[in-house]
Amino acid sequence: MENLKKIIWQSPSNIAVVKYWGKYVSQIPMNPSLSFTLNQCYTETKIEYSFEGSGEINFYYNDQINQAFGIKVKKYIHSLNLSFLQNLDLHINSFNTFPHSAGIASSASAMSALALCLTSLEDLIQNAKRDICEFKTRASYLARLGSGSASRSIFPKASIWGKVESIPFSSDLFGIDWSQQLGSEFQAIQDWIFLVSSSEKSVSSSQGHQLMENHVFRNSRIEQANENILKIIHAIKNNDWELFIDVCEEEALTLHGLMMSSRPSYILLAPDSLKIIQSIKQFRKENNIPVTFTIDAGPNIHMLFDKKYEKQVQEFCESEWSEYLLQGKILKDQMGEGPIQTT
Ligand code: DP6
């Protein structure tokens, strides 16, 4: 393509502490969710575009054609029906800073990076005069349509997606910035990810969401999540780590309980996932240090704690999980400031 212009966004993954699990048509969540935005686990996406094209889209991952993700990306972009794209040819190239197969929410970072590029392109071509808040809301809206959890990656530090009556501007259609609400002891959250397995998941998140439609615990799950989001909001605002830990672990284990009790039932946890959970709990109890864990739809364990306990947590990892440390299977990430546009 000649006369190429480009837009580049880096957008991070996020880790939910109240989980989005189950959705209605058009990516409307069954319940609200709350997440922390990560820092080092991000996707960088570059869109090169040329005018007077025919709407052609080429997708590359790490400079290589990627058929599977390319089909998903094209389907997503076409589904958005963005009229300004009609005469543009797009050449999209993405890479992740973390292994694609690590089981870290790559769809959240990938879809949010793509949505941010599309929103920038929309601004440019339509000469829209959006302020930063409107820009992010639009990007989050578009990201949600690609992957629900991606709607939360647009914002710094923490985000809520899904309508919560007591939270102004919260919506099922996009995430909101919740960074201003964090208590002083939740300003420097660390997320150390134990990479238990990097093999392909046996059941995807999309299939998991579908199984919630007729799940025997569906209504009680929706009720529980609505209660848990209020509890965790209270805990984070008021520096109540005890309550935070209770809710965070209940959410993680409920998510996997729902998988185990769906029809058909399935298990994504591995033996080491359970061993790591037990040892985190024991470490907390013996040392009276507020560390907790959460789990996404996979076997990896995310260990959450305040930065002030980093030294003790490092010692715990060295004594209990040295083989994970030595093999580079503990990814040390932390809460971050959200996406950045580099070009
Ligand atoms: C377990 O956002 O990956 O990570 O909307 O189908 O793309 P789709 O699902 P996705 O689901 C993520 C579920 C979760 C919990 C969470 O991030 O809230």
Side-chain angles (χ1 to χ4, degrees):
M1 290 195 288
E2 283 165 27
N3 298 325
L4 287 181
K5 296 177 194 306
K6 63 181 176 199
I7 289 172
I8 303 178
W9 274 95
Q10 292 175 347
S11 188
S13 183
N14 66 74
I15 181 69
V17 284
V18 173
K19 307 288 180 183
Y20 148 53
W21 202 236
K23 59 180 162 184
Y24 305 114
V25 281
S26 312
Q27 296 278 106
I28 299 299
M30 280 186 184
N31 64 266
S33 53
L34 188 152
S35 61
F36 297 124
T37 303
L38 295 182
N39 191 29
Q40 297 174 43
C41 295
Y42 65 84
T43 299
E44 179 173 297
T45 295
K46 173 168 77 180
I47 291 192
E48 292 172 297
Y49 58 98
S50 64
F51 295 103
E52 290 160 22
S54 54
E56 199 182 304
I57 300 170
N58 292 305
F59 180 80
Y60 295 79
Y61 183 75
N62 275 338
D63 294 316
Q64 310 271 324
I65 291 257
N66 183 309
Q67 285 283 4
F69 205 56
I71 292 170
K72 203 174 161 188
V73 164
K74 280 184 203 170
K75 208 171 138 200
Y76 162 65
I77 295 179
H78 288 143
S79 76
L80 298 175
N81 254 327
L82 300 168
S83 56
F84 69 88
L85 289 181
Q86 250 167 28
N87 302 319
L88 293 188
D89 284 342
L90 304 183
H91 183 95
I92 307 172
N93 201 343
S94 252
F95 74 85
N96 288 348
T97 55
F98 51 99
H100 182 61
S101 54
I104 298 159
S106 58
S107 69
S109 56
M111 286 302 176
S112 56
L114 185 55
L116 284 157
C117 287
L118 291 172
T119 312
S120 287
L121 203 52
E122 185 173 54
D123 266 12
L124 250 157
I125 291 169
Q126 298 186 336
N127 200 14
K129 299 268 183 286
R130 280 194 273 239
D131 64 28
I132 185 69
C133 202
E134 289 166 326
F135 177 88
K136 285 186 178 176
T137 301
R138 173 68 174 159
S140 176
Y141 175 92
L142 293 179
R144 175 198 112 242
L145 295 170
S147 180
S149 54
S151 65
R152 298 182 311 237
S153 276
I154 305 292
F155 303 98
K157 294 181 180 172
S159 172
I160 290 176
W161 167 43
K163 184 70 194 159
V164 183
E165 283 310 326
S166 56
I167 310 260
F169 309 112
S170 61
S171 169
D172 286 344
L173 302 180
F174 45 81
I176 58 166
D177 182 340
W178 206 66
S179 61
Q180 300 303 314
Q181 307 296 325
L182 307 176
S184 55
E185 288 184 30
F186 284 84
Q187 294 287 340
I189 302 271
Q190 307 297 297
D191 178 6
W192 286 16
I193 310 163
F194 287 73
L195 300 174
V196 172
S197 162
S198 58
S199 50
E200 189 80 19
K201 283 192 275 187
S202 56
V203 180
S204 71
S205 286
S206 300
Q207 290 165 305
H209 288 297
Q210 261 176 26
L211 289 169
M212 283 309 289
E213 276 170 33
N214 299 312
H215 201 290
V216 62
F217 297 138
R218 171 184 150 146
N219 292 339
S220 30
R221 164 59 193 158
I222 295 172
E223 207 176 304
Q224 177 200 38
N226 278 288
E227 280 169 15
N228 278 347
I229 200 140
L230 296 181
K231 284 189 194 165
I232 219 154
I233 283 170
H234 180 86
I236 297 173
K237 278 184 171 177
N238 295 289
N239 297 318
D240 186 343
W241 268 89
E242 205 177 315
L243 178 61
F244 177 76
I245 289 170
D246 271 0
V247 178
C248 188
E249 297 186 1
E250 181 179 297
E251 279 291 313
L253 296 174
T254 295
L255 174 71
H256 285 266
L258 289 166
M259 294 173 192
M260 292 180 203
S261 53
S262 64
R263 294 188 186 129
S265 132
Y266 63 105
I267 301 175
L268 295 184
L269 296 177
D272 266 9
S273 315
L274 299 180
K275 285 187 195 153
I276 295 165
I277 290 173
Q278 295 295 23
S279 74
I280 292 175
K281 284 180 162 220
Q282 200 175 341
F283 168 65
R284 175 168 76 227
K285 204 166 151 201
E286 282 170 5
N287 299 280
N288 205 14
I289 289 175
V291 290
T292 186
F293 66 86
T294 186
I295 326 166
D296 262 346
N300 302 327
I301 304 299
H302 292 245
M303 189 179 191
L304 304 178
F305 56 94
D306 187 14
K307 190 169 171 54
K308 68 176 172 225
Y309 298 111
E310 198 166 4
K311 190 168 162 280
Q312 289 96 318
V313 172
Q314 173 69 23
E315 281 162 12
F316 158 75
C317 293
E318 279 165 11
S319 72
E320 302 287 319
W321 296 98
S322 57
E323 77 276 30
Y324 268 69
L325 270 180
L326 290 171
Q327 292 168 28
K329 292 200 309 191
I330 301 182
L331 258 175
K332 296 177 178 175
D333 207 345
Q334 60 285 119
M335 193 162 75
E337 292 301 320
I340 45 174
Q341 183 171 16
T342 57
T343 305

